[in-house]
Amino acid sequence: MFLGTGTGLLWYFQSEKARVQEEREKEQNKPKAYGKPKLGGPFSLTNAETGGKLGTDDLNGRFYMIYFGFTHCPDICPEELDKMAEVVDAVKADKDMGEGVLIPVFITCDPRRDTPEIVKEYVKDFHDDLIGLTGNEEEIRRVAKLFRVYVSSPPNLEEGQEDYLVDHSIFFYLMSPDGTFLDCYSQNATSEDVTESFKNYYQEYKAKGGQLDKKPASLLQKKA
Ligand code: NI
């Protein structure tokens, strides 16, 4: 069962990566005015820290990086979230960038098990700034669709069944302060790669006179 899932995932990631790359190449060949692929869009989910709503209205004004995963994930999600934490620390430590510039966001793709309480505890293991979001199944399905995230839970789960894996795509989505999609990074990208790439987007934004809301990330997280 696990092997089968792994092979399916590998196939999926490879084809997904090829698709995204192809899409990006297509985008790059278009006149600049057409911009990036249309990933993302307005959303509002449950902030695991407070139980209140948190979404694009709160996040816009800064760069943010979204990762979709689930708290029961045995190894990939923890590795990827550690990587995201390293990126955030590198950005904070950089003299040109610093505090509050890049907000890390975790969105569960397993709302059935990932209640706000569980997500709240989980995100603490990775980074103090990491915002954990959950919602009901329909809300999560909608947001995953906005980002074209592939999610598949086993069919016919029994009431109370807790031991199962969720297949999901593994990407970080980098969003600009106006809420548009900038880039996505696969599992192959190291934290150094992602930090370097982010720095380029940041400098480009600043060079164009872009402003940033630099309030500490903790304020955003504690939002009711
Ligand atoms: Ni995972």
Side-chain angles (χ1 to χ4, degrees):
M1 149 81 204
F2 189 78
L3 268 180
T5 303
T7 313
L9 274 177
L10 189 65
W11 175 84
Y12 174 76
F13 295 141
Q14 281 166 350
S15 57
E16 179 70 4
K17 203 182 150 206
R19 189 186 63 74
V20 170
Q21 269 170 357
E22 197 179 295
E23 210 156 82
R24 286 186 59 196
E25 277 160 26
K26 261 192 258 166
E27 287 295 328
Q28 278 160 5
N29 293 333
K30 279 186 193 169
K32 274 247 179 314
Y34 287 94
K36 300 275 179 179
K38 294 230 178 305
L39 286 187
F43 66 81
S44 178
L45 290 168
T46 302
N47 178 4
E49 178 70 30
T50 63
K53 286 285 177 186
L54 193 149
T56 41
D57 284 350
D58 309 291
L59 294 164
N60 290 346
R62 312 157 192 257
F63 290 92
Y64 50 102
M65 201 173 265
I66 304 176
Y67 180 77
F68 289 84
F70 67 112
T71 68
H72 288 70
C73 183
D75 44 24
I76 297 171
C77 284
E79 278 171 24
E80 291 302 291
L81 289 169
D82 278 337
K83 192 163 91 183
M84 183 147 83
E86 283 172 28
V87 173
V88 171
D89 283 336
V91 168
K92 285 180 133 182
D94 187 288
K95 61 176 171 41
D96 297 325
M97 297 188 284
E99 196 79 28
V101 165
L102 177 63
I103 306 297
V105 180
F106 168 82
I107 299 180
T108 183
C109 51
D110 183 21
R112 186 177 178 271
R113 286 178 297 186
D114 286 344
T115 60
E117 296 70 28
I118 286 172
V119 172
K120 179 179 171 173
E121 286 309 308
Y122 183 71
V123 295
K124 281 182 188 156
D125 286 345
F126 298 98
H127 201 286
D128 286 343
D129 295 351
L130 182 57
I131 291 174
L133 299 178
T134 184
N136 63 38
E137 296 194 20
E138 198 189 319
E139 289 171 318
I140 295 295
R141 204 177 303 125
R142 187 189 155 267
V143 178
K145 205 173 162 193
L146 283 178
F147 287 87
R148 298 184 210 161
V149 169
Y150 165 84
V151 180
S152 174
S153 299
N156 312 318
L157 285 169
E158 282 165 35
E159 182 81 29
Q161 188 181 337
E162 289 290 310
D163 54 333
Y164 58 90
L165 292 172
V166 179
D167 282 359
H168 61 93
S169 32
I170 301 167
F171 289 104
F172 295 139
Y173 297 86
L174 176 62
M175 307 303 288
S176 81
D178 64 4
T180 54
F181 166 77
L182 285 176
D183 215 334
C184 70
Y185 305 97
S186 74
Q187 222 182 335
N188 299 329
T190 65
S191 64
E192 290 81 10
D193 297 335
V194 178
T195 305
E196 191 59 35
S197 168
F198 174 68
K199 195 168 181 170
N200 289 332
Y201 285 112
Y202 175 80
Q203 285 169 339
E204 197 180 314
Y205 182 74
K206 294 301 270 189
K208 284 183 189 155
Q211 299 296 310
L212 283 177
D213 174 357
K214 279 202 175 188
K215 285 195 289 289
S218 56
L219 282 180
L220 190 57
Q221 212 170 29
K222 301 263 150 49
K223 184 190 161 279

